[in-house]
Amino acid sequence: MKANVSGNGTRVGIAGVGVYVPERVLTNAELERMVDTSDEWITDRTGIKERRIAAEDEAASDMALPAARQALESAGVDAGELDMVIVATSTPDMLFPATATVVAEQLGANRAAAYDLLAACSGFIYGLSQAYGSVSSGVSRKVLVIGSEALSKIVNWEDRGTCILFGDGAGAVVVEAVDGGGFLGFELGADGSGGGDLCIAAGGSRNPTTEQTVADELHLIQMRGPEVFRFATRVMVSSAAGLLEECGAAVDDVDLYVPHQANKRIIDHAARNLGLPPEKIFLNIHRYGNTSAASIPIALAEAVAEGALTAGKRVLMTAVGGGFTWGSVYMTWSEGRA
Ligand code: UT7
């Protein structure tokens, strides 16, 4: 789906951002001692130097909570005002109840509907589109969208093709009516034919957990890296270009490109093909690796903190991930609440 929403009556935007990353830093040098890899290979092939790892007792909701509190504070919104809490994650605390219900309860968001959204690395972008739809239609007034991932818990630490890539963390935003700027358009899609290229094969209703599935390590991430890479490089470009065209915007109109931090080579390829110069690209993959649904909200919060994202700037975000799923958002950063 693709939509230019700039002509819709209500301006809806992001009124506050928050971030949390776990304390523990796992460097490439440490990974060299765990699997047959090298700092040079990881840096060259991915751009990653280090990533954060959740503590043993730290789950997705534990990371979502501080990020959410920061986003609410920066938006000046009380948890009790929230109408909806969406947690985009592939690593929920448990299959159900939803992690969002845990977060809503701990925040004191006692009026809010709460649910998890599973669209892998594209989950946060999907969540933004749902929050936009709910606020612009009048169903909700204030929606908290969180991306939180504890990927270290589902990584196979003996598989050098995946364990070097992923990291943990959370980012959150408050979506509501704003008096300037706001969302301009969305492009979302899915192609289930690539599902097997990036998956956790067991633990669901297709292959319930058994001793055998655990012995076969089917409860951990399996990825055909080069296939995902090929798909991602193509769709990062087509999704963003299609959305800009739908919005009647040129690449030069974009002030800041905040891509999913999947692999620096994927980001560089997309930026090059879209015609975005390096100074417009927000990058933090070297510090966090690929944090899936948390990657774009973490980047947004850091971009705001660094002064790279200020009122009036046009922001383009694109994510691609398991499913396959993808999504782009184009928006003008907001000046304040309506
Ligand atoms: O967020 C969306 C989800 N995922 C992604 O976006 C990931 C997309 N894919 C990728 O980022 C890349 O495919 C990887 C970084 C995962 C792998 O990089 P690649 O350039 O595609 O490597 P490859 O899998 O084609 O492997 C090339 C070589 C192989 O050796 P041979 O067969 O050529 O001798 C691998 O065994 O590199 C080897 N290799 C490694 N060597 C050192 C694979 N992983 C490693 C490693 N250290 N960690």
Side-chain angles (χ1 to χ4, degrees):
M1 55 149 276
K2 191 157 48 177
N4 174 345
V5 301
S6 60
N8 293 3
T10 320
R11 280 175 190 271
V12 178
I14 291 176
V17 295
V19 57
Y20 170 84
V21 291
E23 259 174 53
R24 163 92 168 97
V25 176
L26 177 66
T27 62
N28 289 351
E30 286 172 86
L31 279 166
E32 283 179 356
R33 297 193 287 274
M34 293 162 63
V35 287
D36 181 14
T37 191
S38 65
D39 172 45
E40 192 191 356
W41 191 95
I42 301 171
T43 307
D44 279 1
R45 306 307 287 171
T46 70
I48 301 166
K49 297 299 283 183
E50 59 187 41
R51 65 290 288 144
R52 298 301 177 104
I53 302 294
E56 216 167 294
D57 61 352
E58 201 169 30
S61 68
D62 300 318
M63 292 187 286
L65 203 60
R69 288 202 169 112
Q70 203 181 85
L72 289 171
E73 197 186 327
S74 80
V77 169
D78 287 332
E81 295 176 76
L82 289 171
D83 298 300
M84 206 185 276
V85 176
I86 302 173
V87 175
T89 185
S90 297
T91 48
D93 288 16
M94 56 194 92
L95 267 180
F96 73 88
T99 299
T101 63
V102 178
V103 174
E105 203 269 326
Q106 292 188 7
L107 285 174
N110 46 20
R111 293 180 52 248
Y115 65 97
D116 291 357
L117 192 164
L118 206 172
C121 303
S122 316
F124 177 74
I125 298 290
Y126 273 51
L128 285 184
S129 84
Q130 294 193 352
Y132 167 78
S134 192
V135 174
S136 65
S137 65
V139 170
S140 299
R141 289 186 60 230
K142 296 171 199 292
V143 180
L144 181 64
V145 184
I146 305 167
S148 185
E149 299 283 14
L151 295 163
S152 63
K153 316 268 182 180
I154 57 163
V155 155
N156 183 341
W157 288 103
E158 290 172 1
D159 174 12
R160 68 177 183 173
T162 50
C163 74
I164 52 106
L165 203 58
F166 296 107
D168 300 337
V173 302
V174 175
V175 173
E176 62 178 321
V178 289
D179 59 12
F183 293 109
L184 299 167
F186 298 88
E187 199 276 339
L188 308 178
D191 176 358
S193 69
D197 290 336
L198 178 50
C199 66
I200 292 185
S205 55
R206 176 67 60 200
N207 285 312
T209 308
T210 61
E211 279 179 24
Q212 193 58 49
T213 64
V214 174
D216 293 342
E217 298 180 328
L218 299 181
H219 57 299
L220 302 174
I221 297 178
Q222 294 173 295
M223 181 173 77
R224 294 187 195 105
E227 280 81 348
V228 181
F229 188 92
R230 267 194 296 279
F231 186 86
T233 44
R234 182 163 59 77
V235 172
M236 287 288 286
V237 177
S238 61
S239 173
L243 176 58
L244 290 178
E245 191 186 353
E246 180 76 16
C247 292
V251 166
D252 287 350
D253 296 331
V254 176
D255 297 308
L256 192 67
Y257 176 49
V258 183
H260 168 41
Q261 312 282 311
N263 180 325
K264 185 165 184 297
R265 283 159 58 221
I266 295 176
I267 296 171
D268 288 346
H269 175 276
R272 207 170 42 244
N273 282 272
L274 288 166
L276 283 159
E279 62 273 16
K280 287 189 176 180
I281 308 171
F282 191 84
L283 280 176
N284 61 10
I285 188 168
H286 50 293
R287 287 184 288 128
Y288 301 132
N290 180 341
T291 57
S292 191
S295 124
I296 288 183
I298 291 174
L300 287 178
E302 292 203 332
V304 170
E306 289 174 18
L309 195 45
T310 49
K313 288 212 171 168
R314 304 237 168 171
V315 194
L316 174 68
M317 313 166 213
T318 302
V320 180
F324 294 120
T325 57
W326 67 87
S328 293
V329 173
Y330 187 45
M331 68 186 297
T332 305
W333 204 250
S334 297
E335 287 141 37
R337 274 194 280 161

